[in-house]
Amino acid sequence: MNFAVGYKTLLGDTNTMDNLEKQLICPICLEMFTKPVVILPCQHNLCRKCANDVFQASNPLWQSRGSTTVSTGGRFRCPSCRHEVVLDRHGVYGLQRNLLVENIIDIYKQESSSPGGPQCLQEHEDEKINIYCLTCEVPTCSMCKVFGAHKDCEVAPLQNIYKRQKSELSDGIAVLVAGNDRIQAMITQLEDICKTIEDNARRQKQQLCEKFDSLYSILEEKKKELLLSITHEQEEKLSHVRSLIRQHGDHLEKSSKLVETSIQFMEEPQISVFLQVSYPSFWNLKSIIENLTSTSSMERTEPGYEKMDHFVINTEDVGEMLRTIDFQTGIWHARVWFTCFDT
């Protein structure tokens, strides 16, 4: 295929140029594409910034790239065909750039602003584009070099420039592909590290909970033991005091009956009868009174017997020791350092 004819068909006609320019306009900002991206699977193009604006508007809670939180992706609809586009956690930056559209835009801008190109084809329609103007960086024909706009410019064979630029572009693509592979490998490695961090953190949390559960168990057992000691002494003291209550109650009952009997004797009005009735019981009564009088020496509790304050426990030192529990320093894996508890 003659390159001049193809080039003329593409850029030589004003209507064709207008149609080409329309194909290079972003449907969002209505300007020529800037860093276009391919919106899969419908293959329509948007400026990356415009695509990101549409995506952010459809996913207001999505975290930006600068956020430390790992996002889970989102979705939005293509403004050209309304096809739903589902993105991964990289968002718009995970979409593939349309390098072909970018190259066409670069060529279009160069041809639109350069003195060669379309003007050369219009002036020298029968000439073949066979040289490349190094000064203006556009392909042109021999007539333009001899008589036209490029007569004072430095030129080179078009085929040589084509091979050189294609080789450079191929090398650049290879470098980009290799770089992308390295970045993807790094992303995979970082994702593996994230998973390992989560697994390690979950394991360490479990171990920490087990350590504290062991401490809770020790404290609970000790609490039960100390409560049992208090309960045991409580029951002993209550049993002893209740025994004394019963003893004193018996003495009180006997004393009350003696008072009633004595009052009955005192109510006898006749002296002879009083002496005759009470005398046999007088000595018995006297003996009972002496016995009851001796109740003053009956057993009683010692002062402060009811106190239980000797069961006071001091937990300040242990509490302070518990507050100093922390992770060990100077080692890679964090473990709880229990300096005072052997679990």
Side-chain angles (χ1 to χ4, degrees), residues 237-251:
K237 287 189 173 183
L238 287 175
S239 177
H240 178 64
V241 172
R242 284 167 182 163
S243 174
L244 294 179
I245 290 174
R246 286 193 299 270
Q247 293 178 21
H248 286 282
D250 293 340
H251 283 281

Side-chain angles (χ1 to χ4, degrees), residues 28-192:
I28 300 297
C29 64
L30 302 180
E31 300 289 342
M32 194 165 291
F33 287 121
T34 303
K35 294 183 179 179
V37 294
V38 173
I39 303 178
L40 297 177
C42 63
Q43 298 294 315
H44 287 119
N45 296 287
L46 289 176
C47 299
R48 174 172 289 173
K49 181 180 182 302
C50 295
N52 191 56
D53 292 342
V54 175
F55 176 66
Q56 293 285 353
S58 302
N59 302 268
L61 299 180
W62 191 81
Q63 300 289 337
S64 63
R65 298 183 77 194
S67 174
T68 57
T69 304
V70 178
S71 301
T72 57
R75 58 186 67 204
F76 69 99
R77 293 191 178 276
C78 171
S80 298
C81 66
R82 306 304 298 168
H83 185 90
E84 187 177 54
V85 182
V86 180
L87 302 182
D88 60 13
R89 64 187 181 81
H90 300 290
V92 173
Y93 293 89
L95 293 174
Q96 181 182 359
R97 288 177 60 178
N98 194 334
L99 298 178
L100 177 61
V101 174
E102 292 190 56
N103 291 336
I104 292 175
I105 291 175
D106 291 339
I107 294 174
Y108 175 84
K109 290 180 178 179
Q110 290 176 4
E111 296 300 335
S112 298
S113 60
S114 64
Q119 182 179 358
C120 172
L121 293 177
Q122 293 173 7
E123 293 178 356
H124 310 121
E125 295 182 0
D126 297 331
E127 292 294 322
K128 180 180 179 180
I129 301 295
N130 57 0
I131 60 176
Y132 186 84
C133 178
L134 298 176
T135 304
C136 300
E137 296 183 345
V138 293
T140 185
C141 65
S142 300
M143 292 295 293
C144 287
K145 171 59 181 172
V146 177
F147 303 107
H150 301 285
K151 62 182 180 180
D152 296 326
C153 299
E154 182 181 357
V155 298
L158 186 66
Q159 190 68 17
N160 293 349
I161 300 300
Y162 167 75
K163 290 181 178 180
R164 188 185 71 186
Q165 290 188 359
K166 189 172 183 179
S167 176
E168 291 177 354
L169 180 60
S170 177
D171 294 341
I173 292 174
V175 171
L176 289 176
V177 170
N180 290 343
D181 291 341
R182 288 194 300 271
I183 293 174
Q184 184 59 50
M186 185 179 298
I187 290 175
T188 301
Q189 182 181 10
L190 292 174
E191 289 175 344
D192 292 340

Side-chain angles (χ1 to χ4, degrees), residues 242-281:
R242 284 167 182 163
S243 174
L244 294 179
I245 290 174
R246 286 193 299 270
Q247 293 178 21
H248 286 282
D250 293 340
H251 283 281
L252 178 61
E253 184 179 358
K254 292 179 181 180
S255 178
S256 297
K257 289 182 180 180
L258 179 60
V259 170
E260 292 178 1
T261 302
S262 299
I263 291 174
Q264 290 176 359
F265 290 160
M266 292 293 294
E267 290 177 350
E268 178 59 46
Q270 298 182 15
I271 297 175
S272 59
V273 177
F274 173 79
L275 292 176
Q276 184 180 0
V277 174
S278 63
Y279 184 79
S281 304

